[in-house]
């Protein structure tokens, strides 16, 4: 069984705050590879999320030349909402690997609002990475609150089924897709916040620029 990291996100766009922590988790947990999973486009009409095909392409450009990184189109193919638990079951049905589901502390703190969240660590290990300063205290408090059955041993929480929940501190990079979209829309530089190939793709396609956004909404994907 391979040890495979999974990092889901909207990735609108993917940036170094996703890529560098993924690289560090890959190294620290001695994983075989990491799969980036862009979320399907939310079905609501008012959604301002870029079409899946564009977010997928940016992720593909970002990882080009990195042999241990992959991008999955699983959530783009599926109709309806992209629930992580469904994606994980699909991945497991296709290949029974030892999966490590990576998520930022911001996402983990609202994990109990996710669809069927209790089922997720029945399928995969959870790896929580910091977003901003510290966070380990908040992480431990949240684990105890939502998974009281987890036993803590040497900083790793183990569930009765053997799956683990752990906190992995990574280099703090205060970058968000929101700040990148805002900078682009104001005509400000986004250089050195994300891979150069992605920056060029955004500018070449007029992404996150108010006018271009309207065109994509009229003619998505
Ligand atoms: P947005 O601003 O649109 O919400 P984002 O930068 O938060 O975008 P997402 O696609 O929402 O990016 O994040 C995907 C996953 O990556 C989440 O689990 C999130 O917590 C994590 N993540 C995003 N940015 C960082 C960062 N700078 N450092 C650590 N984790 C991050
Ligand atoms: Mg986010």
């Amino acid at each position: 069984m391979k040890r495979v990291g999974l990092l889901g996100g909207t990735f609108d766009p993917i940036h170094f705050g996703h890529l560098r922590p993924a690289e560090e988790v890959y190294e620290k947990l001695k994983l075989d590879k990491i799969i980036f999973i862009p979320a399907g486009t939310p079905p609501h009409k008012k959604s301002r999320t870029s079409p899946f095909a564009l977010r997928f392409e940016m992720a593909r450009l970002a990882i080009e030349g990195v042999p241990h990184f992959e991008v999955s189109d699983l959530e783009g193919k599926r109709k309806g909402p992209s629930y992580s638990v469904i994606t994980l079951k699909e991945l497991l049905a296709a290949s029974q690997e030892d999966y490590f589901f990576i998520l930022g502390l911001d996402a983990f703190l609202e994990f109990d609002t996710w669809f069927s969240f209790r089922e997720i660590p029945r399928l995969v290990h959870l790896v929580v990475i910091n977003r901003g300063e510290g966070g380990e205290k908040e992480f431990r408090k949240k684990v105890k609150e939502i998974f009281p059955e987890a036993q803590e041993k040497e900083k790793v929480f183990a569930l009765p089924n053997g799956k683990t929940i752990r906190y992995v501190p990574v280099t703090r990079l205060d970058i968000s897709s929101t700040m990148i979209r805002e900078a682009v829309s104001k005509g400000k530089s986004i250089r050195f916040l994300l891979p150069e190939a992605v920056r060029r793709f955004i500018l070449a396609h007029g992404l996150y620029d108010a006018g271009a956004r309207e065109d994509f909404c009229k003619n998505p994907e």
Side-chain angles (χ1 to χ4, degrees), residues 123-192:
L123 306 170
V124 296
H125 302 280
L126 293 185
V127 176
V128 179
I129 56 175
N130 54 300
R131 210 168 172 186
E133 203 58 76
E136 186 155 11
K137 235 173 104 184
E138 280 168 281
F139 161 77
R140 297 179 68 246
K141 193 169 154 227
K142 192 72 187 178
V143 178
K144 288 178 183 168
E145 178 198 326
I146 63 176
F147 296 109
E149 70 278 26
Q151 295 284 328
E152 192 177 2
K153 201 178 155 198
E154 283 156 22
K155 291 207 159 198
V156 176
F157 287 88
L159 291 165
N161 69 356
K163 294 287 187 253
T164 58
I165 306 176
R166 78 188 74 204
Y167 186 75
V168 174
V170 291
T171 300
R172 176 183 170 181
L173 291 166
D174 281 345
I175 304 173
S176 70
S177 304
T178 302
M179 78 185 249
I180 293 173
R181 292 192 302 270
E182 282 175 9
V184 173
S185 72
K186 290 180 188 151
K188 290 195 176 148
S189 166
I190 54 165
R191 196 177 264 123
F192 309 130

Side-chain angles (χ1 to χ4, degrees), residues 63-115:
I63 63 141
E64 217 162 45
V66 186
H68 52 276
F69 280 2
E70 271 176 28
V71 183
S72 161
D73 63 358
L74 212 57
E75 294 200 352
K77 285 185 191 151
R78 193 190 312 137
K79 296 271 174 274
S82 40
Y83 293 127
S84 296
V85 69
I86 296 172
T87 304
L88 295 173
K89 283 182 181 167
E90 283 183 14
L91 277 167
L92 279 161
S95 154
Q96 293 255 330
E97 311 292 5
D98 208 8
Y99 290 110
F100 293 77
F101 188 73
I102 305 162
L103 69 173
L105 181 64
D106 59 321
F108 183 66
L109 292 179
E110 40 185 61
F111 194 65
D112 46 332
T113 65
W114 292 22
F115 177 71

Side-chain angles (χ1 to χ4, degrees), residues 187-218:
K188 290 195 176 148
S189 166
I190 54 165
R191 196 177 264 123
F192 309 130
L193 293 174
L194 72 181
E196 183 60 12
V198 180
R199 186 185 74 88
R200 287 176 186 226
F201 183 90
I202 290 170
L203 299 182
H205 291 81
L207 272 179
Y208 313 129
D209 153 78
R213 174 65 63 133
E214 295 243 305
D215 294 341
F216 285 127
C217 291
K218 269 186 232 145

